[in-house]
């Protein structure tokens, strides 16, 4: 028994709990019995009613659903269904299709523009990190080069990109320590064709760019003959070959021996040349094959004074040039590539890899590992040639053009570069990017005008350039940047429209001095350029043109009206540009339901030009620009 007042015996507590459970069980049984009794009463009621209405039920006719289904199927096959049946069949078909709809859970909330921009920037940075790692030869997994095949040829776009890249980076090669400092001048191409005067044991002689002696100073016929021979020699297009024939090669070796043994006897010179011949004979005695480790004389034709720079690499291709000589494509260990190397500029390695290569396999290296090395090398080269995923924001139009020239080979590549610049430096990622992206917005406007002017000069440029597609892509980027920061975009457009208006005023003043002509013939005209008008055409796709007053669209509309009202017409080109401006004004005001008087007056004036009596037509409604 519990202590203190109100204590209860444990036995009493147990008995009270037991009684409570028994009471619940009794109530459940009672409810179940009542439910069974109600069900029995309901069944007895139905039986009684069936007996009472048995005579009446015999008079009722129930539908035969099976027979009705057969008739409906027959009518469907014969095409004799009623309109109500057709609608019901369509309804049934649609409802059954809902049974097979994929049932999914509700997705997460819609991401904000800032989150979308952040995800895209992170994706591009991750791809750029992988690309840089592949350039260094670091592969996280074999999947990164699993798509590389042994016979994977380069596409024309990659070859063109490599050619442009080599041209732009020609002055930045680290290996060219002995390059002629004068070859960076503007007259480089002219100097390459000139013969150089050198002092040898035979006196002053003319030496061509390959080191061959073509004649003595003062002997004009020898010099001219040497030039002709040089022009007719079958050198490589890449400039890597040292001579056009074996005889020229021996002449070059003799010339070099004379140069480096001034004042010595002919025996010493011949001995020196014999040593060089022995080295070349050793190199030519071994037949070089694809995959063979070698040493290449890097850019031999471009080196100054015949200097040699040998670097380790591997032969990637063996072929014959136009003259039937064997040339080699070499990929150096640092990833650089040189094509069309002649035999004397390629030699086997001296570290024992030559013997292993001749046997066709390396000691301890399996065939699978060799294939993996080749794929890694190709993946490394592909990563080096690929367009980067992350760019710094160019501050000028020339800087943007340099980026495009370095990494793009088609118009689509140029558009991709612009898109990646915006994606990796968007204002939505960091508000500190606002200043540089505002400047980049102005650069894109200039780029748009430049591409538009190029369309006027040379058209679309074919599928490779695709200038119209470039304009479409630029318009999308401009729209996205305007959504990122409307204030910055509006400020840039306002400044650009002010520049357009000042340029128009200057041209109108120049009309009094310069005679008007046809712009198609590069003559003076007061009308804006095609690129500027195409940019005005893209404006209503970037900002809303239905607002009553807009910080950008309204000034642009006023500028178009000034162009139509004040610019004189002299040629058919002027009429075409005026019609284009009038169409732009109508497009600007169509959505708002407004009528631009300048556009309607210009169109009426153009129609009067084709009237039977132009003077009387102009007298009814004269236009200064059409007089």
């Amino acid at each position: 028994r519990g202590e203190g007042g109100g204590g209860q015996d444990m036995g009493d507590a147990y008995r009270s709990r037991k009684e409570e459970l028994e009471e619940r069980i009794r109530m459940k049984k009672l409810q179940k019995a009542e439910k069974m009794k109600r069900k029995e009463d309901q069944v007895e009621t139905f039986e009684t009613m069936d007996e009472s209405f048995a005579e009446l039920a015999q008079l009722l006719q129930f539908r035969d659903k099976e027979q009705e289904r057969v008739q409906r199927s027959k009518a469907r096959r014969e095409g004799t269904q009623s309109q109500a049946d057709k609608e019901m069949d369509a309804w049934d078909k649609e409802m059954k299709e809902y049974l097979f709809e994929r049932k999914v859970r509700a997705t997460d909330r819609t991401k904000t523009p800032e989150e979308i921009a952040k995800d895209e920037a992170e994706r591009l940075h991750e791809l750029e990190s992988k690309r840089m790692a592949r350039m260094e030869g670091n592969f996280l997994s074999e999947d990164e080069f699993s798509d590389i095949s042994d016979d994977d040829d380069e596409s024309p776009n990659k070859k063109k990109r490599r050619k442009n890249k080599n041209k732009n980076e020609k002055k930045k090669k680290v290996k060219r320590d002995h390059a002629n400092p004068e070859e960076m001048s503007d007259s480089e191409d002219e100097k390459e064709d000139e013969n150089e005067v050198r002092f040898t044991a035979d006196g002053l002689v003319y030496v061509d760019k390959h080191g061959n002696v073509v004649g003595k100073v003062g002997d004009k016929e020898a010099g001219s003959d040497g030039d002709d021979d040089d022009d007719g020699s079958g050198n490589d297009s890449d400039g890597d070959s040292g001579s056009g024939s074996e005889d020229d090669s021996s002449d070059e070796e003799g010339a070099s021996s004379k140069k480096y043994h001034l004042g010595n006897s002919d025996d010493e010179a011949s001995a020196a040349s014999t040593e060089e011949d022995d080295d070349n004979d050793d190199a030519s005695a071994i037949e070089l094959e694809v995959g063979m480790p070698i040493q290449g004389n890097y850019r031999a034709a471009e080196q100054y004074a015949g200097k040699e720079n040998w670097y380790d690499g591997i032969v990637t291709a063996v072929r014959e040039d136009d003259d039937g000589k064997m040339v080699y494509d070499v990929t150096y260990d640092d990833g650089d590539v040189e094509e069309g190397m002649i035999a004397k500029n390629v030699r086997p390695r001296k570290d024992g890899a030559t013997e292993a290569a001749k046997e066709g396999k390396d000691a301890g290296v399996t065939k699978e590992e060799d294939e993996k090395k080749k794929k890694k090398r190709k993946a490394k080269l592909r990563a080096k040639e690929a367009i980067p995923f992350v760019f710094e924001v160019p501050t000028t139009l020339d800087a943007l053009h340099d980026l495009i020239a370095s990494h793009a080979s088609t118009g689509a590549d140029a558009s991709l570069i612009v898109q990646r610049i915006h994606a990796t430096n968007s204002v939505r990622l960091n508000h500190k990017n606002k200043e540089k992206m505002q400047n980049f917005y102005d650069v894109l406007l200039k780029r748009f005008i430049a591409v538009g002017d190029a369309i006027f000069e040379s058209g679309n440029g074919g599928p490779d350039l695709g200038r119209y597609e470039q304009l479409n892509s630029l318009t999308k980027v401009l729209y996205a940047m305007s959504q990122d920061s409307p204030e910055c975009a509006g400020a840039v457009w306002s400044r650009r429209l002010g520049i357009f208006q000042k340029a128009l005023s200057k041209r109108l003043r120049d009309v009094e001095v310069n005679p008007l002509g046809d712009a198609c013939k590069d003559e003076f005209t007061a009308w804006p350029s095609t690129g500027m008008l195409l940019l005005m055409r893209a404006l209503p796709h970037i900002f809303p043109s239905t607002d009553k007053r807009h910080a950008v669209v309204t000034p642009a509309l006023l500028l178009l009206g000034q162009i139509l009202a004040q610019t004189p017409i002299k040629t058919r080109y002027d009429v075409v540009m005026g019609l284009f401006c009038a169409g732009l004004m109508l497009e600007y005001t169509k959505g708002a339901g407004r009528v631009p008087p300048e556009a309607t007056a210009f169109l009426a004036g153009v129609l009067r030009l084709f009237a039977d009596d132009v003077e009387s037509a102009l007298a009814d409604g004269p236009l200064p620009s059409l007089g």
Side-chain angles (χ1 to χ4, degrees):
R1 182 181 299 276
E3 299 180 356
Q8 186 179 10
D9 190 2
M10 294 296 295
D12 296 339
Y14 174 76
R15 283 190 293 272
S16 61
R17 178 62 179 167
K18 182 178 180 183
E19 292 174 356
E20 182 180 355
L21 293 176
E22 290 177 352
E23 179 67 17
R24 288 186 179 183
I25 294 172
R26 187 177 64 81
M27 292 298 296
K28 286 289 185 181
K29 290 181 178 180
L30 182 61
Q31 292 176 0
K32 187 175 181 180
E34 291 178 353
K35 185 177 180 180
M36 292 294 294
K37 187 174 184 306
R38 286 197 301 269
K39 187 175 182 180
E40 292 175 357
D41 293 342
Q42 186 178 15
V43 171
E44 291 178 0
T45 303
F46 287 160
E47 292 177 353
T48 303
M49 293 181 66
D50 290 341
E51 293 176 359
S52 302
F53 294 98
E55 298 180 357
L56 183 61
Q58 295 178 358
L59 301 177
L60 297 177
Q61 293 182 357
F62 294 97
R63 294 181 302 172
D64 187 354
K65 293 185 178 181
E66 184 65 25
Q67 183 65 23
E68 184 178 353
R69 197 159 35 244
V70 172
Q71 293 178 355
R72 190 162 54 248
S73 300
K74 182 179 179 181
R76 189 183 300 110
R77 289 193 302 269
E78 296 176 354
T80 59
Q81 282 183 301
S82 63
Q83 185 64 27
D85 291 341
K86 292 181 180 179
E87 293 178 357
M88 184 57 66
D89 286 345
W91 171 261
D92 292 340
K93 182 179 179 180
E94 185 176 358
M95 294 303 296
K96 289 180 180 179
E97 287 178 354
Y98 288 145
L99 298 176
F100 301 98
E101 287 288 336
R102 188 169 64 96
K103 298 178 177 62
V104 295
R105 252 184 343 180
T107 58
D108 296 335
R109 62 175 179 82
T110 304
K111 294 183 178 180
T112 62
E114 288 76 13
E115 292 174 341
I116 295 175
K118 183 179 179 181
D119 292 344
E120 179 65 14
E122 291 178 351
R123 184 184 71 85
L124 292 177
H125 278 87
E126 182 179 359
L127 292 175
E128 179 65 12
S129 299
K130 292 181 179 180
R131 188 186 75 88
M132 297 298 293
R134 288 196 297 270
M135 289 176 59
E136 299 296 333
N138 300 325
F139 298 91
L140 301 178
S141 63
E142 295 185 1
D143 296 337
E144 295 189 18
F145 56 90
S146 59
D147 58 337
I148 305 295
S149 59
D150 294 337
D151 55 350
D152 189 13
D153 295 333
E154 295 185 18
S155 62
N157 291 339
K158 285 187 177 180
K159 290 183 179 180
K160 189 184 299 182
R161 189 181 304 149
R162 177 191 292 176
K163 183 176 180 181
N164 293 337
K165 189 174 183 180
N166 291 338
K167 186 184 297 181
N168 293 330
E169 295 181 354
K170 189 174 181 181
K171 300 180 181 179
K172 301 179 182 179
K173 291 292 185 179
V174 179
K175 296 179 180 178
R176 297 177 59 183
D177 297 333
H178 308 287
N180 185 359
E182 296 180 356
E183 69 180 0
M184 299 302 175
S185 62
D186 296 334
S187 60
E188 174 186 359
D189 298 335
E190 298 177 358
K191 290 185 178 180
E192 287 181 355
D193 298 334
E194 296 179 358
N195 294 328
E196 182 181 357
V197 179
R198 292 184 183 178
F199 181 78
T200 65
D202 297 333
L204 293 176
V205 296
Y206 288 109
V207 180
D208 62 7
K209 61 181 180 180
H210 302 299
N212 301 325
V213 178
V214 297
K216 295 183 179 180
V217 176
D219 188 359
K220 297 183 179 179
E221 295 180 357
S224 60
D225 294 339
D227 292 340
D228 295 338
D229 294 338
D230 181 69
D231 294 338
S233 61
N235 295 337
D236 252 5
S237 59
D238 294 338
D240 292 332
S241 61
S243 61
S245 63
E246 296 179 359
D247 297 337
D248 294 339
S249 177
S250 62
D251 292 341
E252 179 183 1
E253 293 171 359
S256 61
S257 64
K258 293 179 182 180
K259 174 185 175 183
Y260 295 112
H261 299 279
L262 295 179
N264 295 338
S265 63
D266 294 339
D267 296 336
E268 295 176 350
S270 61
S273 63
T274 303
E275 295 177 358
E276 296 178 359
D277 292 340
D278 293 339
D279 295 338
N280 294 333
D281 292 340
D282 294 339
S284 60
I286 301 176
E287 183 179 355
L288 301 180
E289 299 177 354
V290 176
M292 190 173 184
I294 53 87
Q295 285 185 334
N297 187 9
Y298 184 78
R299 306 292 184 191
E302 300 175 3
Q303 303 304 321
Y304 179 65
K307 297 295 183 180
E308 296 181 353
N309 296 316
W310 296 88
Y311 297 95
D312 293 340
I314 189 170
V315 178
T316 56
V318 180
R319 65 180 190 276
E320 293 184 356
D321 60 2
D322 297 337
D323 297 334
K325 298 179 182 179
M326 195 66 66
V327 294
Y328 305 93
D329 294 347
V330 174
T331 299
Y332 294 99
D333 291 348
D334 61 355
D336 205 348
V337 177
E338 187 171 358
E339 299 177 352
M341 298 184 67
I342 60 175
K344 74 171 189 176
N345 291 329
V346 182
R347 67 188 182 190
R349 292 188 191 176
K350 299 179 181 179
D351 54 358
T354 305
E355 289 76 11
K358 287 191 297 182
E359 296 176 0
K361 60 180 179 179
D362 295 334
V365 179
T366 63
K367 184 177 180 180
E368 292 77 8
E369 292 177 350
D370 190 26
E371 294 294 332
K372 187 182 298 184
K373 287 182 180 179
K374 291 181 180 180
K375 289 184 178 181
K376 285 185 177 181
R377 192 179 297 110
K378 290 184 178 181
K380 180 179 177 181
L381 181 60
R382 179 178 294 183
K384 185 176 181 181
E385 295 175 349
I387 300 177
F389 295 93
V390 179
F391 291 93
E392 292 294 333
V393 180
T395 57
T396 61
L397 182 61
D398 292 337
L400 177 60
H401 286 171
D402 291 340
L403 277 180
I404 294 175
S406 300
H407 302 288
S409 58
T410 62
D413 293 343
S415 301
L416 182 61
I417 290 174
V418 173
Q419 293 171 5
R420 289 179 177 177
I421 292 174
H422 168 244
T424 54
N425 300 276
S426 176
V427 178
R428 297 186 185 275
L429 300 175
N430 189 349
H431 68 279
K432 296 181 180 180
N433 295 338
K434 182 177 294 185
E435 182 177 354
K436 61 181 180 181
M437 291 306 290
Q438 181 175 354
N439 183 66
F440 182 62
Y441 196 100
D442 189 55
V443 171
L444 290 185
L445 294 183
K446 296 177 182 178
R447 166 75 179 172
F448 195 105
I449 297 174
V451 175
D453 292 338
I455 290 177
F456 172 74
E457 295 175 358
S458 55
N460 187 38
D464 289 338
L465 290 179
R467 294 191 177 99
Y468 288 115
E469 291 299 326
Q470 291 189 51
L471 294 184
N472 291 337
S473 178
L474 284 174
T475 303
K476 295 177 182 178
V477 175
L478 290 173
Y479 173 78
M481 295 179 66
S482 300
Q483 297 297 313
D484 294 344
S485 181
E487 298 82 4
C488 295
V492 174
W493 270 100
S494 299
R495 184 171 64 252
R496 183 56 50 185
L497 290 175
I499 295 174
F500 290 159
Q501 200 279 331
K502 293 179 180 178
L504 174 64
S505 301
K506 183 179 183 302
R507 289 195 301 271
L508 293 177
R509 291 194 302 269
D510 293 342
V511 169
E512 301 176 357
V513 181
N514 299 326
L516 294 175
D518 191 355
C520 298
K521 300 178 182 179
D522 294 334
E523 297 176 352
F524 175 76
T525 179
W527 288 88
S529 66
T530 303
M532 180 266 186
L533 292 182
L534 289 176
L535 182 61
M536 301 295 286
R537 171 70 176 81
L539 179 58
H541 296 280
I542 301 174
F543 296 103
S545 59
T546 56
D547 294 353
K548 184 177 181 180
R549 293 181 183 275
H550 193 274
V552 177
V553 178
T554 301
L557 195 59
L558 295 175
L559 177 60
L560 290 175
Q562 182 183 6
I563 293 173
L564 286 177
Q566 299 181 2
T567 308
I569 291 179
K570 181 69 174 180
T571 62
R572 292 180 181 178
Y573 170 83
D574 299 341
V575 175
V576 172
M577 301 304 286
L579 291 174
F580 188 72
C581 291
L584 287 180
M585 292 196 70
L586 293 176
E587 182 178 355
Y588 276 44
T589 57
K590 177 179 62 175
R594 298 191 293 268
V595 178
E598 297 87 354
T600 54
F602 182 86
L603 294 176
V606 172
L607 291 176
R608 292 191 191 99
L609 288 177
F610 297 93
D612 295 336
D613 190 357
V614 179
E615 295 182 357
S616 60
L618 291 176
D620 296 337
L623 290 175
S625 61
L626 299 176

